[in-house]
Amino acid sequence: MKAYKERSREELLALKAKLEKEYEDAKGKGLKLDMSRGKPSVAQLDMGMDIFDVLNSQSDMTSLEGVDVRNYGVLDGLTEAKHMMADIMGVKAENVIIYGNASLNVMYDAVSSAVTHGVMGCTPWCKLDKVKFLCPVPGYDRHFSITQYFGIEMITVPMTPQGPDMDLVEKLVSEDESVKGIWCVPKYSNPQGYTYSDETVRRFANLKPAARDFRIFWDNAYAVHHLYEEKERQESILDILSECEKAGNPDMVYEFASTSKISFSGAGVAAIASSRANLECIRKTLTIQTIGYDKINQLRHVRYFKDFEGIKAHMRKHAALMRPKFEAVLRVLEEELAGTGIGEWTRPNGGYFISFQAMEGCAKAIVARCKEAGVTLTAAGATYPYGHDPEDSNIRIAPTYPSPEELAMATDLFVLCVKLVSVEKLLEEHARDASRFGDRLAG
Amino acid sequence: MKAYKERSREELLALKAKLEKEYEDAKGKGLKLDMSRGKPSVAQLDMGMDIFDVLNSQSDMTSLEGVDVRNYGVLDGLTEAKHMMADIMGVKAENVIIYGNASLNVMYDAVSSAVTHGVMGCTPWCKLDKVKFLCPVPGYDRHFSITQYFGIEMITVPMTPQGPDMDLVEKLVSEDESVKGIWCVPKYSNPQGYTYSDETVRRFANLKPAARDFRIFWDNAYAVHHLYEEKERQESILDILSECEKAGNPDMVYEFASTSKISFSGAGVAAIASSRANLECIRKTLTIQTIGYDKINQLRHVRYFKDFEGIKAHMRKHAALMRPKFEAVLRVLEEELAGTGIGEWTRPNGGYFISFQAMEGCAKAIVARCKEAGVTLTAAGATYPYGHDPEDSNIRIAPTYPSPEELAMATDLFVLCVKLVSVEKLLEEHARDASRFGDRLAG
């Protein structure tokens, strides 16, 4: 396909007319589709319904250690739940505390208690003039919302397929004591689906932060969320906790995970993994905050999945449902946009998203065009702190929720909008060039 | 029975010898009983097991408004869950937000967000030199822990059978702008089982706080937790939300409740009720903190209890199991301590506790004696801020968890320890008096 930039004004005008016609037709279809959030599909949720059969009688209600899970007690989670979440994160169970239904709340609490009480004896962040977080971009909007809410200044760091730009991370973390954290999705990152290389993880573990209370917020949200069964397409990361220990930085990481996209979204089990010293500090808050989280749901999960093999088998079923959707989107992108020079995209082996990079200045217009024709995408800019993508080019595609038929329609519309907005953009540039040329003639 | 204070030194010495013998015998029994926390018994928990049968198939998983409760979404709770919790609290569903598994966490969040972000546009408490809370005493230790954790100064206010000393509350709240809140358990209070009178509730609603961000933390933990079926023994409180609205103070209350002691402790549904303006402010935090709490558990509760009649019927079953335990404890206290002048206690119609008032300076010693012989009580002092009961006399008795047989043994030991410690105390006083008398002779 001929790159759009190489086409003449006349070619672009002809194309624009054709695309506008197609767009009007598409609008007429009255679509109402949602590719905005990383939600499991109904088929994925149906798959896990047997979980409600595992706890039925009184005799089912006792934990490994003889605790009646229906009553108060057990502040930091059932031992068997710690093992389950430890297996998912690839850490030791002794480094795990179990929380409530979702990891977002755990991350919020980690930031909130650092703000009010400080990290392991350091000054509470609310007493400091300036607190900064590094934010690899594009990234996860809900991370950025937490730091924005607490008035923490966010500094963007570019992502690469191997992880964040570590030269920049090292420089900022070691030079600036007000840098207290960094948001990371180390495996099948949101939105690109990138996995941090071993070198990246080791460089993280060997950071020399200026701030004693600097913490890596390691959101291992997609730890077991492979799309493919082939070993060579199953990506893996080093265990950051043990790498930090080796590097003499044992307390530098808070790792988060949940079963939200394993069992049920919003009704799963969440956890934090960290060093013994960090966990001790966290328990001091926890004991004020709660008598304990929902142990019935913890035990239900453990009994249902049985062990890590059970989790992996369940994830293969998720993958079987999700893979065709990712491939359908990628196929349309490839067929319609390869060689046009108006978009680039990632081809993830796991996670919940595809990251699309439009021509500079086009993302908002593409999302608006899609919306107008009935397809909701994640708001343009959402993948950047303060909702501000300086190049206005990143769009997050979430292919998991719609049915395959809906997805085909939605992706067709998406590529149509990408083309239309790109052509309009290029025609504007032509007009600007012509006007500059005219100015020169006149001058 | 002859009051202990009127007995001679010789009578007390003889009694002491007898009690010490009994105490040694009791220690020999190797008891291991717990009357420390307000935990439901196993029989109470067994009663609710059918709740796990109500959600089994895909078709059960849709809320009133067509939401699949297994997926993300619905920030502030299912409409039907709001109705359930509104019925329990006696408020309107539009005034309710549903949270996670327990109300303690909701109270913690309410204080925490006031500390970091302020209440409805007021200065965040972390920016103020001094923040104070009023604490009716004796009261609930976990309330006091939250305010202590955030460095909030606690000022005690005496409780009466009609509620807190409102003259003092009115004075402190109207005169001191640093008074930002008061902890209340308005119905079947922890630990006394007192219920605030209508006059008390109206005086609360008509407070004229110096601080615009003063809030009443109204922990309606025992809203439907009657011990008796007779109407005249079922206590009720006025709806503080509507009383505040009438009084022109619509935003002055955060009300909390949960099903922890209705369904399962730590696996229930919690809620806050407040004015529209407060809820709007709360939602701004909530939307950063979570995508939504466990909707499956919300729906499970609604489907199981069906309506408020279902809740009330279930609570009657709880009462049938709890009532004999309260009565057994009260019977022993009556038989063994009436007329001795060494203890007073409450006779609650609901809730989870009996409050025992020992002679001044005896509570810690009684609790220690009980512990030494194998019966754990709530730590003496726990019912006061900072764990400090200035008279060292209040002991909270939690009769719900032990079996009736265990309870009989535990209460027998308790009264034995009360007698023994009181006799020792009185003998000390005799010795002091004699020494003073000797001093006078010598002088």
Side-chain angles (χ1 to χ4, degrees):
Chain A
M1 204 169 312
K2 188 174 176 184
Y4 278 33
K5 281 193 182 174
E6 289 161 18
R7 299 188 193 196
S8 68
R9 182 164 176 273
E10 288 62 38
E11 283 173 318
L12 289 172
L13 281 171
L15 181 56
K16 182 172 179 246
K18 175 175 160 285
L19 294 168
E20 269 170 350
K21 169 82 181 54
E22 286 175 29
Y23 183 71
E24 288 310 314
D25 290 349
K27 272 210 291 191
K29 285 185 196 160
L31 298 180
K32 216 184 147 190
L33 304 171
D34 194 337
M35 292 205 297
S36 70
R37 308 263 10 151
K39 290 168 69 170
S41 65
V42 175
Q44 286 176 264
L45 299 170
D46 285 350
M47 223 174 66
M49 287 300 292
D50 291 349
I51 198 170
F52 300 113
D53 298 334
V54 297
L55 291 186
N56 280 311
S57 70
Q58 286 94 316
S59 59
D60 295 332
M61 292 295 175
T62 308
S63 78
L64 262 184
E65 287 163 324
V67 170
D68 187 332
V69 297
R70 301 166 302 175
N71 218 325
Y72 289 116
V74 189
L75 180 66
D76 69 356
L78 300 178
T79 300
E80 51 265 62
K82 290 180 185 175
H83 279 279
M84 177 180 76
M85 294 309 297
D87 286 344
I88 290 171
M89 290 185 272
V91 301
K92 282 180 249 158
E94 69 198 49
N95 292 112
V96 173
I97 289 178
I98 305 293
Y99 276 75
N101 70 317
S103 59
L104 186 67
N105 217 314
V106 190
M107 294 181 239
Y108 178 95
D109 282 353
V111 174
S112 180
S113 77
V115 168
T116 57
H117 289 78
V119 171
M120 276 177 63
C122 295
T123 309
W125 296 353
C126 69
K127 304 287 182 204
L128 301 175
D129 287 335
K130 182 60 98 182
V131 174
K132 298 175 192 163
F133 256 60
L134 307 186
C135 300
V137 287
Y140 180 33
D141 55 350
R142 290 189 188 271
H143 288 163
F144 305 152
S145 300
I146 291 175
T147 24
Q148 182 173 0
Y149 182 69
F150 284 99
I152 294 169
E153 185 184 324
M154 292 181 275
I155 300 171
T156 57
V157 172
M159 273 290 284
T160 77
Q162 287 75 45
D165 174 344
M166 289 309 292
D167 290 344
L168 188 55
V169 169
E170 284 165 353
K171 184 176 147 60
L172 292 166
V173 166
S174 64
E175 287 180 0
D176 187 349
E177 211 193 338
S178 64
V179 172
K180 300 296 188 188
I182 180 168
W183 288 118
C184 296
V185 183
K187 193 167 177 179
Y188 299 134
S189 66
N190 178 351
Q192 307 89 340
Y194 291 155
T195 296
Y196 292 13
S197 70
D198 291 356
E199 192 202 333
T200 297
V201 176
R202 288 204 183 95
R203 286 177 75 177
F204 263 110
N206 283 281
L207 284 173
K208 303 275 168 275
R212 207 156 55 86
D213 51 353
F214 170 82
R215 292 292 179 274
I216 303 165
F217 286 67
W218 197 256
D219 183 3
N220 203 350
Y222 308 105
V224 290
H225 302 59
H226 309 288
L227 284 169
Y228 293 90
E229 296 194 21
E230 301 87 315
K231 276 278 162 276
E232 64 278 12
R233 297 197 72 172
Q234 297 209 341
E235 299 177 10
S236 63
I237 45 170
L238 289 177
D239 168 23
I240 183 81
L241 287 187
S242 52
E243 291 302 319
C244 280
E245 215 173 294
K246 279 189 237 166
N249 278 325
D251 303 323
M252 203 168 55
V253 182
Y254 295 142
E255 179 166 355
F256 308 94
S258 82
T259 68
S260 285
K261 291 183 178 94
I262 298 174
S263 57
F264 297 113
S265 308
V269 172
I272 195 169
S274 198
S275 69
R276 172 198 291 259
N278 277 325
L279 294 189
E280 256 173 45
C281 178
I282 290 168
R283 280 194 200 92
K284 282 183 199 157
T285 305
L286 210 59
T287 191
I288 304 297
Q289 204 173 8
T290 182
I291 306 175
Y293 291 101
D294 185 344
K295 297 187 296 297
I296 296 181
N297 205 35
Q298 290 172 31
L299 194 59
R300 180 184 289 126
H301 276 72
V302 172
R303 293 276 168 83
Y304 177 64
F305 290 115
K306 294 188 180 72
D307 53 25
F308 193 45
E309 288 309 313
I311 298 265
K312 287 193 282 188
H314 196 74
M315 293 314 291
R316 284 194 288 274
K317 294 192 217 163
H318 278 296
L321 291 165
M322 291 165 64
R323 197 166 49 236
K325 298 185 181 182
F326 274 76
E327 291 181 342
V329 172
L330 291 171
R331 195 179 314 117
V332 175
L333 293 175
E334 188 67 33
E335 285 169 6
E336 295 294 321
L337 298 180
T340 60
I342 59 172
E344 292 176 4
W345 55 92
T346 58
R347 290 161 188 80
N349 286 323
Y352 262 67
F353 305 102
I354 294 166
S355 181
F356 185 87
Q357 207 69 15
M359 279 170 55
E360 194 170 333
C362 290
K364 275 191 187 145
I366 293 168
V367 171
R369 284 280 192 173
C370 283
K371 181 94 187 168
E372 196 188 333
V375 171
T376 306
L377 295 168
T378 309
T383 51
Y384 279 74
Y386 313 105
H388 177 65
D389 173 0
E391 299 193 342
D392 183 26
S393 70
N394 186 251
I395 297 172
R396 186 180 76 166
I397 299 175
T400 54
Y401 188 71
S403 69
E405 299 71 33
E406 290 171 336
L407 200 65
M409 287 188 287
T411 313
D412 284 344
L413 182 76
F414 175 72
V415 295
L416 174 58
C417 294
V418 170
K419 289 177 185 173
L420 186 52
V421 169
S422 303
V423 166
E424 285 169 347
K425 182 83 184 168
L426 288 167
L427 282 167
E428 272 174 37
E429 286 175 14
H430 273 281
R432 233 184 351 255
D433 289 349
S435 142
R436 269 201 290 271
F437 184 66
D439 288 350
R440 253 189 292 155
L441 282 185
Chain B
M1 203 170 312
K2 190 173 175 184
Y4 277 35
K5 282 194 178 171
E6 289 160 19
R7 299 188 193 194
S8 69
R9 182 162 175 276
E10 289 61 39
E11 283 173 317
L12 289 172
L13 282 170
L15 183 56
K16 182 169 179 250
K18 175 176 161 282
L19 293 169
E20 271 173 348
K21 168 83 180 54
E22 286 175 29
Y23 183 72
E24 289 310 312
D25 291 350
K27 274 210 291 191
K29 285 185 194 158
L31 297 180
K32 215 184 149 191
L33 303 171
D34 194 338
M35 293 206 294
S36 69
R37 306 261 16 148
K39 289 168 69 171
S41 65
V42 175
Q44 285 177 265
L45 299 170
D46 284 351
M47 221 175 67
M49 287 300 291
D50 291 348
I51 198 170
F52 299 113
D53 298 333
V54 297
L55 292 187
N56 280 312
S57 70
Q58 286 95 316
S59 58
D60 295 332
M61 292 295 177
T62 308
S63 79
L64 263 184
E65 288 163 324
V67 171
D68 187 331
V69 297
R70 302 168 301 176
N71 219 325
Y72 288 115
V74 190
L75 179 66
D76 69 357
L78 298 178
T79 298
E80 50 266 61
K82 290 181 185 175
H83 279 278
M84 177 180 77
M85 295 309 298
D87 286 343
I88 289 171
M89 290 185 271
V91 301
K92 282 179 250 157
E94 68 197 51
N95 292 111
V96 173
I97 289 178
I98 305 294
Y99 276 75
N101 70 317
S103 58
L104 186 68
N105 218 314
V106 190
M107 295 181 240
Y108 178 94
D109 282 352
V111 174
S112 180
S113 76
V115 168
T116 56
H117 288 79
V119 171
M120 275 177 61
C122 295
T123 308
W125 296 352
C126 70
K127 303 287 182 201
L128 301 175
D129 287 336
K130 183 60 96 180
V131 175
K132 298 175 191 162
F133 256 58
L134 307 186
C135 300
V137 287
Y140 179 34
D141 56 350
R142 291 191 188 269
H143 288 162
F144 305 151
S145 300
I146 291 174
T147 24
Q148 182 173 359
Y149 183 68
F150 284 100
I152 294 171
E153 185 183 324
M154 293 181 276
I155 301 171
T156 58
V157 172
M159 271 292 283
T160 78
Q162 287 73 47
D165 175 342
M166 289 309 293
D167 290 344
L168 188 55
V169 169
E170 284 165 354
K171 186 176 143 61
L172 292 166
V173 166
S174 63
E175 285 179 1
D176 187 349
E177 211 192 340
S178 65
V179 172
K180 301 295 189 191
I182 180 169
W183 288 116
C184 295
V185 183
K187 193 168 179 178
Y188 300 133
S189 65
N190 177 353
Q192 307 90 341
Y194 292 155
T195 296
Y196 291 13
S197 69
D198 291 356
E199 193 202 331
T200 298
V201 177
R202 289 204 183 96
R203 286 177 76 178
F204 263 111
N206 284 281
L207 285 173
K208 303 276 169 272
R212 206 156 55 86
D213 51 352
F214 170 82
R215 292 291 179 273
I216 303 165
F217 286 66
W218 197 255
D219 183 4
N220 203 350
Y222 308 105
V224 291
H225 302 59
H226 310 288
L227 284 170
Y228 294 91
E229 294 193 21
E230 301 89 315
K231 277 280 163 272
E232 63 278 13
R233 299 195 74 171
Q234 298 210 339
E235 299 177 10
S236 64
I237 45 169
L238 289 176
D239 168 24
I240 183 81
L241 286 187
S242 52
E243 291 302 320
C244 280
E245 213 174 294
K246 279 189 236 166
N249 277 326
D251 302 324
M252 205 167 54
V253 183
Y254 296 142
E255 179 167 354
F256 308 94
S258 82
T259 68
S260 285
K261 291 182 179 94
I262 299 174
S263 57
F264 297 114
S265 308
V269 173
I272 195 168
S274 198
S275 68
R276 173 199 288 259
N278 276 326
L279 294 190
E280 256 173 44
C281 178
I282 290 168
R283 280 194 200 94
K284 282 182 199 159
T285 306
L286 210 59
T287 192
I288 304 297
Q289 205 172 9
T290 182
I291 306 176
Y293 291 102
D294 185 342
K295 297 186 298 294
I296 295 181
N297 204 34
Q298 291 172 30
L299 193 60
R300 179 184 289 125
H301 276 72
V302 172
R303 294 274 167 85
Y304 177 65
F305 291 115
K306 294 189 179 73
D307 53 25
F308 193 45
E309 288 309 313
I311 299 266
K312 287 193 282 187
H314 196 74
M315 293 314 291
R316 283 194 290 274
K317 294 191 217 165
H318 278 296
L321 291 164
M322 290 165 64
R323 196 167 50 236
K325 298 185 180 183
F326 274 76
E327 291 181 342
V329 172
L330 291 170
R331 196 179 313 117
V332 175
L333 294 176
E334 189 66 32
E335 285 169 7
E336 296 292 322
L337 298 180
T340 60
I342 59 171
E344 291 175 4
W345 55 91
T346 57
R347 290 161 189 81
N349 286 323
Y352 262 66
F353 305 103
I354 294 166
S355 181
F356 185 86
Q357 208 69 13
M359 281 170 52
E360 195 170 332
C362 290
K364 274 192 187 143
I366 294 168
V367 171
R369 284 279 193 175
C370 283
K371 180 93 191 168
E372 196 189 332
V375 170
T376 306
L377 295 168
T378 309
T383 52
Y384 281 73
Y386 313 105
H388 177 64
D389 172 0
E391 301 192 341
D392 184 26
S393 70
N394 185 254
I395 297 172
R396 186 181 75 166
I397 299 175
T400 54
Y401 188 73
S403 69
E405 299 71 33
E406 291 172 335
L407 201 64
M409 289 189 284
T411 314
D412 285 344
L413 182 78
F414 175 71
V415 295
L416 174 59
C417 294
V418 171
K419 289 176 185 175
L420 186 52
V421 169
S422 304
V423 166
E424 286 168 347
K425 181 84 185 168
L426 288 167
L427 282 167
E428 274 174 35
E429 285 174 15
H430 274 280
R432 229 178 0 247
D433 290 347
S435 141
R436 270 202 289 269
F437 184 65
D439 288 350
R440 254 190 290 157
L441 283 183

